[in-house]
Amino acid sequence: MKITVIGCGRWGSFIAWYLDKAGHSVSLYGREGSPHMKQFRESRTNGIVTLPNSIRLISAMEEAVKTELIVVSVGAQSFREVAADIAAQGYRGDLVLCMKGIEQGSGKRLSEIALEYLPKSGVAVWLGPGHVQEFVAGIPNCMVIDGTSEELKERLVTQFSSSLIRFYYGRDLIGNEVGAAAKNVIGIAAGILDGMGLTNLKGALMARGTREVARLIVAMGGIEHSAYGLCHLGDYQATVFSEFSHNRAFGEAFARGEKFGKLAEGYYTVEALMELSKKYGVDMPICRAVHKVLYDGANPRDELTALFMRSLKKEF
């Protein structure tokens, strides 16, 4: 396939590397002036991923859309602008979204935003566990592809699968998108526990976190058991425990009063989840506690201690 990957950060550059390795013709797009693209142009590496010469580096959107498939990996909160730019170029092909988040303000899933601007395109999401550092070291994992049509999912699973990543067919676009976004908030909560020396409470966090996310998925029209699949519970090891998890590391740094200079999508997602919690009438105590800590200046120890010391009977 002829594929353009939009977004040359850690995950986007890995996707370009992976799809090239799988035999596709790949171009990697980064905006003009992007420090990530500048680094790749100078050395072909960002210190984690080294791009072969077969991957074209481009910075013109009009060139990026001359392809049969666009894979997008940008910050979730900036995706609307990217979708508008793609649509402005007259693109009518399919789109694969490789990021996890919900838009602040609107509470919209990323596939909904894509269809606003590209209503005639097929839209798929590529979700699930795994870190770039592990993949480039040859450590395999399983991920999921869901989308707006069975034909699109089948084509992508067939074309993208390899010995490094085994893809499963998603059956619940709502549940998979919401679950994938929400697991980043659980990751921040896990990091806060780490920062307070309460790592032992991660078991309760995982059990209760999955339940409250499952309730939201059902209220939004999705399938409850999606929260227990690769998009959410299946991604906990990579998010709740891994040293490579930005969301966990952000939560730990926050609890310790330290600065964290990398993107942690869960920070923005928890705001959107509070909007959805109110809209659908779903109580989300863990997400609410994280939101109070991050946005209202609540004491992390007070919030999480109160949260986990209350009876679990109401949650199950």
Side-chain angles (χ1 to χ4, degrees):
M1 299 176 69
K2 184 178 180 182
I3 302 172
T4 295
V5 177
I6 292 181
C8 57
R10 180 181 59 165
W11 191 243
S13 60
F14 162 72
I15 291 168
W17 175 89
Y18 173 79
L19 293 175
D20 173 85
K21 188 178 178 67
H24 302 289
S25 175
V26 181
S27 297
L28 179 62
Y29 169 88
R31 59 180 173 77
E32 199 66 50
S34 161
H36 296 299
M37 181 56 72
K38 181 175 184 293
Q39 190 174 22
F40 279 124
R41 289 192 186 281
E42 291 175 351
S43 65
R44 305 294 296 190
T45 185
N46 61 5
I48 303 174
V49 175
T50 299
L51 300 178
N53 291 329
S54 51
I55 296 176
R56 293 195 313 136
L57 303 178
I58 58 176
S59 294
M61 185 61 77
E62 58 266 28
E63 188 175 1
V65 300
K66 295 176 181 177
T67 185
E68 61 184 289
L69 182 73
I70 289 179
V71 179
V72 184
S73 179
V74 298
Q77 303 308 316
S78 62
F79 174 59
R80 181 177 291 277
E81 180 181 354
V82 172
D85 288 345
I86 294 171
Q89 298 296 326
Y91 181 70
R92 292 295 180 269
D94 294 328
L95 209 63
V96 181
L97 310 180
C98 295
M99 58 277 200
K100 304 162 184 176
I102 298 172
E103 187 178 48
Q104 286 182 318
S106 71
K108 288 188 175 182
R109 295 176 286 115
L110 301 183
S111 66
E112 294 180 292
I113 297 171
L115 289 170
E116 280 186 40
Y117 294 92
L118 298 160
K120 295 183 179 180
S121 294
V123 178
V125 294
W126 170 346
L127 307 167
H131 289 292
V132 173
Q133 294 91 334
E134 294 165 342
F135 282 130
V136 297
I139 302 172
N141 215 324
C142 299
M143 304 186 81
V144 61
I145 287 177
D146 211 332
T148 55
S149 76
E150 293 300 316
E151 182 277 330
L152 177 59
K153 288 189 287 186
E154 183 175 354
R155 178 160 57 94
L156 293 175
V157 168
T158 300
Q159 293 284 342
F160 286 3
S161 291
S162 73
S163 59
L164 189 59
I165 302 178
R166 176 182 176 181
F167 287 98
Y168 286 81
Y169 292 87
R171 303 296 182 189
D172 176 22
L173 185 57
I174 292 173
N176 280 318
E177 283 192 271
V178 173
K183 66 94 187 176
N184 285 331
V185 178
I186 305 300
I188 291 177
I192 293 173
L193 291 176
D194 286 337
M196 296 190 301
L198 297 174
T199 300
N200 57 302
L201 287 175
K202 285 186 180 181
L205 172 70
M206 292 187 291
R208 293 180 58 184
T210 307
R211 285 298 301 128
E212 70 177 64
V213 171
R215 290 195 296 269
L216 177 63
I217 288 172
V218 171
M220 293 178 67
I223 301 170
E224 179 177 0
H225 71 240
S226 293
Y228 299 90
L230 286 171
C231 75
H232 189 75
L233 181 61
D235 205 347
Y236 272 10
Q237 189 281 330
T239 305
V240 173
F241 296 101
S242 176
E243 64 178 305
F244 302 125
S245 169
H246 280 187
N247 289 282
R248 191 210 59 76
F250 168 77
E252 183 175 5
F254 192 94
R256 293 177 173 175
E258 301 169 356
K259 291 185 178 180
F260 186 78
K262 299 176 182 177
L263 174 66
E265 285 284 6
Y267 177 85
Y268 306 101
T269 299
V270 73
E271 177 86 346
L273 286 176
M274 287 297 92
E275 296 164 1
L276 293 176
S277 171
K278 182 177 180 180
K279 177 179 179 180
Y280 290 97
V282 176
D283 187 29
M284 304 187 75
I286 293 175
C287 292
R288 184 172 61 249
V290 171
H291 184 269
K292 288 178 70 176
V293 168
L294 299 183
Y295 284 83
D296 300 334
N299 182 280
R301 184 172 293 275
D302 291 346
E303 287 299 317
L304 292 182
T305 299
L307 178 68
F308 287 110
M309 291 303 106
R310 46 182 259 184
S311 172
L312 295 180
K313 292 181 180 179
K314 293 181 180 180
E315 296 300 317
F316 296 93

